[in-house]
Amino acid sequence: MPAFISNRLLAIGEAMVELAPEGGNHYQQGFAGDTFNTIWHIGQLLKERAKAGFVTGLGTDGFSERFIAEMQDDGLDTTAVLRIPDHTMGLYLIELKGVERSFHYWRKDSAARHLADDAPALNQALAGSGLIHVSGITLAILSPDARETLFAALSAARGAGSIISFDPNVRPRLWASTEECRQTIKSMLSFTDIALPSFDDEAWLWGDRDPDATVQRLMAHGVAEVLVKDGAGPVTAATGHGTLRIETPPVTAIRDTTGAGDSFNAGYLAGRFLGLEMEAAIALGQRLSAAVLARLGARADRSEIDAIRSVLGR
Ligand SMILES: Nc1ncnc2c1ncn2[C@@H]1O[C@H](COP(=O)(O)OP(=O)(O)O)[C@@H](O)[C@H]1O
Ligand SMILES: [Mg+2]
């Protein structure tokens, strides 16, 4: 893998206001979203060794202000947030039926859908970044024109040395059609350096029979580094030099699977940034996602993140 050209590490996408049930009619309000969850964990793992930042669209309202303040408190760079007057953050509410969780979304008109509306600002935000992380959800929420703007910006940044990571995170409901989803993801893969798919998504979208088929398909698109996550199953990792299969350590007390993939991505990418080999970076991803599985919500406990940081020993 080429070296990271700088310690500016970015994720592009949508964070939403989260309402999580606390019993009765009481809800705890937070902020979450796949690419945000990833960059948040990268920021907490790496602290001052990196400048982790989130690229999104937000409004000028109180919720947007609070989210920016919270990101800044957590050490994230927010200078690339595009402010969209007259729009606000999307929202989702978690409904609990016993231990089953279902999600209700209000995000069709969110400010994040406009994150690529200002092409020069986007280009400037991405310029010189070591890493730019994008997901299929990022692509799904954009208009076709905005996707082209984003692709042009990613391709320019990549041409200047930025490493692009991509988690397809397929969410059928966000796409106008399966074909549109497939075509957009194919375009994205043409400038992806590190792909981080989950096997169940890929099996659904492409009919892959097993993780090896996913690896073959992505390598055929020219992706240099492919990591296929598969829940409790092994991670299948591949580069031009060969394929590794790494068992996933069992996690016993799972409370909530939300954000498992996002935090795995964070551990893996932070590990690669620190110069770890794939196997050690995968172990870091697995350890971080185990910490997320043990808790309600998409974020690991601070004490667990600190424990992982101390193992990194730097
Ligand atoms: N049941 C599980 N037991 C242990 N680890 C798990 C389990 N589910 C997920 N993980 C961890 O989270 C990672 C991502 O899980 P996966 O379910 O594939 O992603 P996503 O959350 O995107 O659907 C896995 O590679 C693994 O490290
Ligand atoms: Mg996922």
Side-chain angles (χ1 to χ4, degrees), residues 39-116:
I39 201 67
W40 185 86
H41 282 98
I42 288 177
Q44 308 320 300
L45 275 179
L46 296 177
K47 296 270 169 122
E48 60 287 336
R49 299 152 105 190
K51 295 190 190 77
F54 189 45
V55 181
T56 190
L58 292 173
T60 51
D61 58 291
F63 267 112
S64 300
E65 296 296 345
R66 277 177 51 200
F67 179 50
I68 288 193
E70 192 184 299
M71 285 195 280
Q72 290 173 349
D73 282 349
D74 289 343
L76 293 178
D77 181 286
T78 60
T79 52
V81 171
L82 189 65
R83 305 302 281 269
I84 317 289
D86 307 328
H87 284 75
T88 185
M89 303 180 72
L91 176 144
Y92 70 99
L93 183 147
I94 302 165
E95 186 185 4
L96 264 188
K97 291 178 187 146
V99 291
E100 285 295 311
R101 292 154 65 91
S102 54
F103 295 80
H104 304 276
Y105 293 94
W106 292 264
R107 72 192 299 186
K108 285 207 167 73
D109 194 30
S110 68
R113 294 189 179 243
H114 299 276
L115 66 84

Side-chain angles (χ1 to χ4, degrees), residues 128-148:
S129 319
L131 175 78
I132 306 170
H133 179 68
V134 177
S135 84
I137 296 176
T138 311
L139 304 178
I141 62 168
L142 298 179
S143 69
D145 280 353
R147 276 176 208 147
E148 291 309 315

